[in-house]
Amino acid sequence: MSSRDRWTAADVPDQTGRVAVITGSNTGIGYHAAEALAGHGAVVVLAVRDLDKGNAAAKRITEAYPKAAIEVRELDLSSLASVREAAEALGSAHPRIDLLVNNAGVMYTPKQTTVDGFELQFGTNHLGHFALTGLLLPRMARVKGSRVVTVSSMAHRIMAAIHFDDLQWENGYNRIAAYGQSKLANLMFTYELQRRLAAKRRSTIAVAAHPGTANTELTRYLPPLLRPADRLLMPLVVQSAAMGALPTLRAATDPKVAGGQYYGPSGIGEQRGHPKLVDASKQAHDVELQQRLWAVSEELTGITYPV
């Protein structure tokens, strides 16, 4: 890889005048993306479930960048009521939104449901972000060059399928397969959203990214049988959360990015390294499944898109 292919946070263009909303940005990948965007001049909104942690993150960013413009907004993606309240507050505070980064997520959780009765991983990782994007899109569609960046995972290939006959895993539960379903849904959502935006000739684009194997808090629910292997392999394959944030940052800011693209690490197996254009599974590109998932998502959330 040549030196100019080693895209880093230093390659983020000037973000002055842009408003960026990042979910789950008090820690991990979301935090490092927020820090980089704020450091390059963007007004950054930390949309987080825990306001205390969000305020602490905002303080850390302003300590590093005293001129940074940071806001903290409460958002619980596992509650559609919270999503609606957050979207209304964001819309009132910001008539224009340039960038929405759908980053927050939960992984490998024990069987739980959201307050609306959805399986927790599918409800949080996909349906919550589907609803939030739909509600904020009118604020973005009027902004030339705006972007929706959704963070997926290599797990979209692992035991992954959209279980339309049992989306909420009421007839048995596999936490790994359920996570894979939610991450596959993130990619299908991105591709279908981009197709709809392009059909309406909107300048807003939808892009996806994945962090590879990054050191974040997501692994706290790792099944006990996998923890010894995780501890053994972590020093070999896991990269820092700051490196894991680079695909998201590139998808969000690189002028050369096109709608419907997918960015991930450049190393072996896309586990670590500098960000590059990667591809998703064949299943993720299935247009019929994308459209079916979209229809179900609108029905479950009650959100109808303006595209």
Side-chain angles (χ1 to χ4, degrees), residues 44-80:
V44 178
V45 181
L46 310 182
V48 299
R49 186 168 57 88
D50 188 316
L51 287 177
D52 289 337
K53 291 182 178 180
N55 287 322
K59 182 180 179 181
R60 292 197 303 274
I61 293 173
T62 52
E63 286 174 350
Y65 300 99
K67 294 183 179 179
I70 304 289
E71 299 177 17
V72 180
R73 297 281 178 178
E74 186 173 11
L75 169 67
D76 182 354
L77 288 161
S78 67
S79 164
L80 291 177

Side-chain angles (χ1 to χ4, degrees), residues 185-206:
N186 287 154
L187 278 167
M188 288 184 167
F189 162 66
T190 296
Y191 295 140
E192 179 63 18
L193 176 57
Q194 175 57 32
R195 186 163 40 252
R196 288 168 177 254
L197 289 167
K200 290 289 187 179
R201 300 181 183 274
R202 300 291 174 85
S203 68
T204 304
I205 61 172

Side-chain angles (χ1 to χ4, degrees), residues 91-159:
S92 297
H94 300 285
R96 58 173 284 162
I97 295 174
D98 299 76
L99 175 63
L100 171 62
V101 180
N102 292 323
N103 164 80
V106 291
M107 182 175 80
Y108 298 164
T109 57
K111 179 63 187 297
Q112 299 176 59
T113 56
T114 69
V115 295
D116 302 292
F118 308 133
E119 185 275 317
L120 184 61
Q121 297 183 88
F122 184 69
T124 301
N125 300 351
H126 170 59
L127 292 176
H129 282 128
F130 180 92
L132 180 66
T133 305
L135 291 167
L136 292 182
L137 200 57
R139 301 287 181 180
M140 304 185 71
R142 66 186 66 168
V143 181
K144 185 177 181 180
S146 58
R147 301 185 188 185
V148 177
V149 178
T150 300
V151 180
S152 183
S153 166
M154 293 185 295
H156 87 275
R157 301 177 183 273
I158 302 172
M159 300 174 64

Side-chain angles (χ1 to χ4, degrees), residues 9 26 40-41 44 46 64 94 114 136 161 205 237 241 262-263 268-269 273 283:
N26 60 280
H40 284 81
V44 178
L46 310 182
H94 300 285
T114 69
L136 292 182
I205 61 172
V237 300
Y262 183 34
Y263 286 83
I268 297 173
Q283 184 179 201

Side-chain angles (χ1 to χ4, degrees), residues 170-182:
E170 295 171 323
N171 302 315
Y173 181 67
N174 182 307
R175 67 174 78 184
I176 296 175
Y179 181 67
Q181 173 179 260
S182 73

